[in-house]
Amino acid sequence: MSTQRQQPETETESTETETAQDRRLEKKRQRAAERERARVEAEERAAADAERYHLKVFRYDPEVEGKQEPRFDDFHVPYEPGMTVLDALIYARDQFDASLTFRHSCRQAICGSDALFVNGSQRLGCQTQLSDLDQPVRIEPLPHSEVVKDLVVDMEHFYDQMEAVEPYFQTENRPEGELEEQRQSRENREKIKKSTRCIWCGACMSSCNIAAGDNEYLGPAAINKAYRFAMDEREGENVKQRRLEIIEQEHGVWRCQTQFSCTEVCPKDIPLTEHIQELKREAVKSNLKFW
Amino acid sequence: MHEYDVIVVGAGGAGLRAAIAAQEAGADVAMVTKLHPVRSHTGAAEGGINAALREGDDWELHAYDTMKGSDYLADAPAAEALTQESPKEAIQLEHWGMAFSREDDGTVSQRPFGGLSFPRTTYAGAETGHHLLHTLYEQVVKRGIEVFDEWYVLNLAVSDEDDPADRRCHGVVAYETATGNVDAFTARDGVILATGGLGQVYDHTTNAVANTGDGVAMAYRAGVPAEDMEMIQFHPTTLPSTGVLISEGVRGEGGILYNDDGERFMFENGYANNDGELASRDVVSRAELTEVNEGRGIEDEYVHLDMRHLGEERIVDRLENILHLAEDFEGVDGLEEPMPVKPGQHYAMGGIETDEYGQTCVDGLYAVGECACASVHGANRLGGNALPELTVFGKRAGTHAAGGDTEEPRVTVGWTDDSEDGDVDSPVTLGEPWTTEAVADGGAAAKTGEAVVERTLERERERVERLLERDEGTQHAEIRASVQHTMTKNVNVFREEDALKEALVDIRAARERYRDVYVADPSSTYNTDLIQTIETRNLLDIAEVITMGALAREEFRGAHWRKKHQERKDDEWLKHTMVSWSDGAPELWYKPVVLEGQNQTYEPKERSY
């Protein structure tokens, strides 16, 4: 389900209009190139200021000449205590280059949209203090995903993997009354608590060597989502069996080589590798029952 | 062109719940959202969901607390719908697997919150919104409801009759961020706006960057009144440097506020002798700022919120997320030291005028959640009442739009015989600098729904092209910053006439500059510059309506404090401020508050805590 990337219906605009529009946009692109030169000059001046933080930001736009080949742009941003990578990017965008493109929204580590590759590691831009980083701060899109533009990557594959594990509650034991709760022990909630913290940022998937080499591997986030349900006592044993079958498929838990890179980069401190290992053990135990 | 029965705009809690309900009532539903559903700001809600679940509590008590909390500016039929249905909705979430915090017997935990006469706030740690958002999205995935994510809705396709009550909404036109494609979505039965908050009109806010009030602005320009917009809730505990929210749950669990002299000022300085830190949000916000203004603030800016005495075990069990937020965004270890906090913009209690099924005065147009004003929060929203609002009204609107069984609404919408004209003394001409643009963008000539949608599509394509083509001018970031600055300076917790007028002058100036706004990025791939430019236009309209309402309401009620009017004036002001878009200018009028409930009338009393 979910996202449709449908192509526009057949356009009826005449070729003439298109050409005029193209010409105007072309002119605009030329102007953009002029501004670009001015920006580089301003940057060179700013670089002399020792109070500024030096960012090297990945740029790519399939539609704009000069950005069609990936490159890095330098930005020098005035530093204030408490400033995060996201703050620095917003400053650079609003003050230097309005076309600098990145996803962000909540700026408090809950929407998961600003996962980036910062100085060689997957991190949330909003949660990463500039002062913790060596200069120049190198900011790139998440590796192992297709870059749409600048720091924006295509998340479709990640979402598809999340959905492949049937990521919704299924139970055999729903109580009769609409005001009657399903009981869950405190211990059981505690057990699944960390797994529920996932914000779908994609950092783990991006850091995983196995996912990089095997496009069908469910990956740490999706397996963690499966863990969240498989370990929830309210779903019941039969549903749990079904869940174990899903994660035991060819590109499931057994692909994990316990390199811990997902656990290292998770911005919500979810013990992803542990969860994957625990599901492996559960899968073995459940298979033993049948032998 | 896409065709559905029901189109839901926005995919946070309210939108997801509405989509599920509409589909359950038999409609073919699609959601259109500028983010991806799991990125919605509902995920940032921390505190909990009020629901009268336990013995000793009932919906009538909850309704009483809500009406009192609102300072008698909420409409009783809406407050009663909220409180009657929230238990069912909370347990529905539980049945969908939401991982609520639990008691020893395995039932859902509840805790005390500000302004509540019973500990009726159900919660999932201090991450309730995150759990709610993901639980609802899971159900949308399960049902195969179509989601057009990262599609930004540019406008509503509304027929252009003279009287808004004769207009009909036939769909929406949206911009696909990834490709720059502008396309239409036709809604056979209804469009449900669930676009959330508008906190970005302020520069110190708990709201996400995406909360730019697009739904309110679009509905307003299509002729739906904006109701009680001056009622902006300031949350008393936000981190000073970023505006990140520190949940009311901290005070609910026993957190204490101190000033620079180490006084527990809520009690010691007499702000709330009974409830102290657990007085309602407007009371605590004013108390904190009074302390700061009178020289007892820390670094002349904030106060301290201390939870150390609660003990590590309880903090980790119930407020763990707060430890992470304080550490990551303020560099403070909440187990070892008190957290700095100050009030910040948090919630829009006003919004698109609706009845208690989310219907607006424009046929086929609904609004739910924070963008709507049903109105349940009046002049002050109780903590824990926003999340049940999402589910209860999301469900009601979804069902109604899809033609499911519903009763006759008791809250009336649009101008009626009970309405009265208003007037405000503005130092500048208000409204749109370009009066040539159509009001409801369907165009009067468009006779069929299809033609209305086509016409809107054409207009929006032109608008995008016009913005992209302009070669130089002012950038949105500059205009946005100037609006945010004047709102924070002049339309904040404490309000004075001169300052409100200054804000109107500044907003007018920003509007003038917006005439020359230009998009620097020429790309049609993921052009956030373009989207933010359009959002900024929405912020301008919203800032103006908020300020206009604040200037008009010459009394002190709930969150709305006026220096020269230090009392609640029930004789004159038991009424909603309404602002309608009339020929390109805002028009002010009033409608009475409905205080008659099902079994009782909520007589205004003094609010003491």
Side-chain angles (χ1 to χ4, degrees):
Chain A
M1 74 117 244
S2 181
T3 335
Q4 285 202 339
R5 293 265 182 250
Q6 292 192 356
Q7 289 306 307
E9 314 256 311
T10 323
E11 298 290 341
T12 46
E13 289 165 46
S14 69
T15 330
E16 237 172 69
T17 332
E18 276 174 24
T19 321
Q21 199 181 332
D22 285 351
R23 269 202 305 273
R24 286 194 296 269
L25 275 178
E26 187 48 43
K27 197 176 123 211
K28 179 153 185 160
R29 290 192 179 106
Q30 283 168 11
R31 289 276 183 95
E34 284 167 29
R35 279 197 302 276
E36 169 74 10
R37 278 190 289 279
R39 185 188 66 73
V40 170
E41 283 170 23
E43 261 305 308
E44 281 167 4
R45 285 194 299 275
D49 186 343
E51 294 294 300
R52 290 179 181 244
Y53 252 71
H54 183 190
L55 316 180
K56 286 188 101 60
V57 183
F58 179 89
R59 305 301 300 272
Y60 165 76
D61 184 337
E63 290 192 55
V64 173
E65 202 187 345
K67 280 174 74 185
Q68 282 164 339
E69 286 300 317
R71 64 174 204 213
F72 281 86
D73 278 355
D74 295 296
F75 295 101
H76 290 83
V77 172
Y79 178 73
E80 280 178 37
M83 198 172 202
T84 64
V85 168
L86 178 63
D87 294 332
L89 284 172
I90 290 173
Y91 187 94
R93 180 195 68 199
D94 289 353
Q95 305 298 323
F96 300 141
D97 183 352
S99 73
L100 176 59
T101 304
F102 46 95
R103 287 192 183 99
H104 67 298
S105 186
C106 75
R107 68 211 165 33
Q108 61 180 85
I110 193 68
C111 78
S113 61
D114 69 340
L116 297 164
F117 198 54
V118 182
N119 281 0
S121 182
Q122 286 81 358
R123 312 168 196 252
L124 294 184
C126 66
Q127 207 187 24
T128 306
Q129 294 286 324
L130 274 187
S131 54
D132 290 344
L133 301 168
D134 292 335
Q135 294 197 58
V137 180
R138 198 176 160 96
I139 306 174
E140 298 166 75
L142 286 183
H144 306 133
S145 305
E146 191 187 327
V147 177
V148 177
K149 178 179 170 184
D150 293 351
L151 302 171
V152 173
V153 295
D154 189 341
M155 294 291 288
E156 282 313 301
H157 178 63
F158 178 83
Y159 297 149
D160 288 346
Q161 298 302 78
M162 292 302 275
E163 286 177 14
V165 298
E166 298 184 6
Y168 35 82
F169 192 69
Q170 304 169 48
T171 184
E172 308 160 326
N173 315 314
R174 191 160 292 166
E176 297 262 319
E178 60 179 13
L179 288 174
E180 187 65 33
E181 294 141 68
Q182 306 163 103
R183 302 293 172 102
Q184 181 183 25
S185 66
R186 295 173 77 118
E187 295 70 31
N188 186 246
R189 181 185 189 263
E190 199 60 29
K191 182 163 185 63
I192 63 167
K193 186 172 83 178
K194 286 182 177 162
S195 68
T196 63
R197 297 221 164 117
C198 175
I199 55 173
W200 299 43
C201 68
C204 57
M205 194 77 155
S206 167
S207 76
C208 174
N209 279 335
I210 314 306
D214 173 6
N215 204 36
E216 287 178 64
Y217 175 43
L218 286 172
I223 295 174
N224 174 69
K225 190 81 177 164
Y227 178 98
R228 177 254 172 275
F229 291 110
M231 296 301 174
D232 191 321
E233 65 187 10
R234 295 172 296 173
E235 281 201 329
E237 275 306 309
N238 290 339
V239 183
K240 184 170 179 175
Q241 285 307 318
R242 158 101 188 110
R243 294 205 177 275
L244 292 177
E245 281 163 29
I246 293 172
I247 54 101
E248 252 214 299
Q249 57 174 284
E250 190 186 345
H251 299 277
V253 287
W254 299 107
R255 291 276 153 139
C256 170
Q257 294 181 4
T258 50
Q259 294 175 348
F260 288 91
S261 54
C262 53
T263 306
E264 267 172 38
V265 301
C266 177
K268 305 309 280 187
D269 298 328
I270 302 170
L272 293 157
T273 314
E274 265 176 52
H275 286 170
I276 298 171
Q277 299 322 301
E278 198 176 340
L279 283 176
K280 284 180 184 171
R281 287 197 295 275
E282 289 286 320
V284 170
K285 275 194 285 181
S286 93
N287 284 340
L288 283 175
K289 280 184 212 157
F290 297 112
W291 289 341
Chain B
M1 186 96 73
H2 307 275
E3 276 191 38
Y4 292 89
D5 295 331
V6 174
I7 302 287
V8 180
V9 182
L16 294 166
R17 187 66 188 90
I20 294 167
Q23 202 214 30
E24 283 181 346
D28 185 14
V29 187
M31 310 191 71
V32 186
T33 166
K34 71 176 174 180
L35 306 172
H36 179 279
V38 301
R39 316 283 178 222
S40 306
H41 201 54
T42 298
E46 293 166 10
I49 305 171
N50 294 339
L53 293 176
R54 302 284 177 247
E55 200 154 323
D57 196 12
D58 60 39
W59 71 263
E60 287 185 293
L61 269 176
H62 185 187
Y64 174 83
D65 290 344
T66 300
M67 293 300 291
K68 177 186 170 194
S70 81
D71 224 348
Y72 304 93
L73 194 67
D75 288 336
E80 292 188 343
L82 175 86
T83 55
Q84 284 168 348
E85 293 178 28
S86 66
K88 206 161 71 185
E89 284 297 317
I91 300 304
Q92 173 70 83
L93 287 166
E94 206 282 339
H95 288 185
W96 283 336
M98 182 159 155
F100 282 102
S101 293
R102 301 282 168 168
E103 293 299 325
D104 287 339
D105 67 355
T107 57
V108 170
S109 284
Q110 297 198 297
R111 66 179 165 205
F113 248 48
L116 297 181
S117 57
F118 190 92
R120 71 168 71 87
T121 308
T122 61
Y123 61 96
E127 304 152 300
T128 316
H130 169 76
H131 283 267
L132 177 139
L133 178 70
H134 283 258
T135 302
L136 286 174
Y137 180 58
E138 287 157 17
Q139 292 301 310
V140 161
V141 170
K142 183 180 180 189
R143 288 164 168 77
I145 293 171
E146 279 189 84
V147 180
F148 293 83
D149 67 324
E150 298 191 338
W151 277 76
Y152 178 59
V153 172
L154 298 164
N155 216 342
L156 306 169
V158 174
S159 62
D160 192 14
E161 314 295 334
D162 283 343
D163 184 347
D166 296 332
R167 292 177 192 161
R168 183 175 168 81
C169 183
H170 296 280
V172 302
V173 170
Y175 175 89
E176 187 183 25
T177 313
T179 64
N181 173 33
V182 178
D183 210 347
F185 294 77
T186 304
R188 284 181 286 259
D189 295 333
V191 169
I192 301 176
L193 292 173
T195 57
L198 47 77
Q200 287 298 316
V201 285
Y202 288 88
D203 60 17
H204 187 83
T205 174
T206 63
N207 282 200
V209 175
N211 290 3
T212 51
D214 302 321
V216 181
M218 283 189 290
Y220 167 60
R221 289 196 299 266
V224 181
E227 178 176 353
D228 293 335
M229 292 287 283
E230 69 276 19
M231 295 305 178
I232 296 290
Q233 179 162 66
F234 296 88
H235 197 291
T237 57
T238 73
L239 296 177
S241 57
T242 53
V244 165
L245 175 70
I246 296 301
S247 167
E248 186 163 315
V250 175
R251 282 170 292 136
E253 298 293 345
I256 296 175
L257 291 166
Y258 293 108
N259 64 17
D260 199 27
D261 299 338
E263 294 169 315
R264 191 177 179 182
F265 56 87
M266 289 308 297
F267 288 106
E268 290 185 40
N269 295 342
Y271 297 105
N273 292 325
N274 295 320
D275 291 5
E277 283 83 4
L278 276 178
S280 97
R281 290 177 175 181
D282 56 325
V283 175
V284 183
S285 290
R286 275 192 300 275
E288 292 176 0
L289 280 188
T290 303
E291 290 297 305
V292 171
N293 292 343
E294 292 181 0
R296 295 185 296 276
I298 298 154
E299 292 182 0
D300 284 332
E301 196 198 352
Y302 55 85
V303 295
H304 272 149
L305 175 61
D306 196 350
M307 62 176 184
R308 291 173 294 181
H309 56 285
L310 301 176
E312 182 169 351
E313 192 185 342
R314 182 146 159 205
I315 294 171
V316 170
D317 183 39
R318 300 175 175 212
L319 300 163
E320 188 182 350
N321 185 42
I322 301 304
L323 290 175
H324 297 306
L325 293 175
E327 175 68 43
D328 290 347
F329 298 102
E330 204 66 48
V332 167
D333 179 354
L335 293 175
E336 298 291 332
E337 41 193 337
M339 299 175 285
V341 292
K342 72 174 198 179
Q345 192 282 346
H346 181 54
Y347 192 90
M349 295 175 289
I352 303 165
E353 184 209 28
T354 73
D355 64 24
E356 68 271 37
Y357 288 98
Q359 292 185 100
T360 70
C361 66
V362 168
D363 201 18
L365 182 63
Y366 297 75
V368 287
E370 190 173 343
C371 72
C373 181
S375 63
V376 287
H377 309 307
N380 176 64
R381 176 175 71 77
L382 295 182
N385 263 0
L387 295 181
E389 179 193 16
L390 303 181
T391 53
V392 168
F393 293 99
K395 182 191 177 190
R396 288 167 75 94
T399 306
H400 197 290
D405 281 342
T406 48
E407 288 172 21
E408 192 62 27
R410 292 176 51 221
V411 173
T412 53
V413 290
W415 180 276
T416 67
D417 292 345
D418 293 332
S419 309
E420 51 172 302
D421 284 322
D423 194 16
V424 73
D425 176 23
S426 168
V428 282
T429 316
L430 298 175
E432 170 70 81
W434 328 277
T435 46
T436 50
E437 272 192 19
V439 177
D441 286 359
K447 292 297 176 209
T448 65
E450 203 177 317
V452 170
V453 175
E454 285 285 352
R455 181 79 185 109
T456 310
L457 178 59
E458 201 179 304
R459 278 176 181 280
E460 290 305 315
R461 281 191 173 144
E462 281 169 19
R463 180 190 187 195
V464 166
E465 203 182 310
R466 202 170 57 232
L467 280 170
L468 280 176
E469 277 179 13
R470 200 173 291 155
D471 221 10
E472 50 204 344
T474 316
Q475 294 197 342
H476 73 81
E478 193 191 314
I479 300 169
R480 191 182 280 216
S482 72
V483 171
Q484 290 171 332
H485 176 73
T486 196
M487 291 299 284
T488 302
K489 179 167 169 247
N490 297 314
V491 199
N492 215 296
V493 174
F494 293 131
R495 296 169 175 186
E496 297 179 41
E497 185 175 333
D498 288 350
L500 294 171
K501 287 185 171 172
E502 187 180 313
L504 284 176
V505 172
D506 291 345
I507 293 162
R508 173 72 201 192
R511 233 183 231 297
E512 291 295 338
R513 261 178 297 159
Y514 193 86
R515 296 171 80 148
D516 296 322
V517 77
Y518 97 110
V519 178
D521 188 353
S523 182
S524 55
T525 301
Y526 222 91
N527 194 333
T528 50
D529 192 14
L530 174 74
I531 289 176
Q532 286 159 355
T533 299
I534 296 172
E535 287 172 345
T536 301
R537 166 65 208 279
N538 293 334
L539 290 174
L540 281 168
D541 284 340
I542 284 168
E544 186 174 80
V545 175
I546 292 169
T547 310
M548 208 176 151
L551 191 55
R553 188 176 284 278
E554 295 186 332
E555 66 160 349
F556 169 23
R557 184 182 298 271
H560 179 65
W561 178 101
R562 285 283 301 263
K563 188 177 188 182
K564 287 217 172 125
H565 305 276
Q566 286 293 306
E567 57 182 324
R568 198 176 75 194
K569 300 174 186 169
D570 287 340
D571 291 345
E572 198 188 345
W573 285 102
L574 275 175
K575 60 190 182 187
H576 300 290
T577 46
M578 314 294 291
V579 181
S580 292
W581 181 249
S582 169
D583 286 333
E587 187 177 79
L588 178 73
W589 51 286
Y590 303 108
K591 76 167 189 180
V593 178
V594 184
L595 295 175
E596 292 81 41
Q598 194 173 298
N599 303 325
Q600 62 165 317
T601 295
Y602 298 87
E603 293 294 346
K605 290 178 195 158
E606 195 194 342
R607 266 170 86 229
S608 59
Y609 287 101

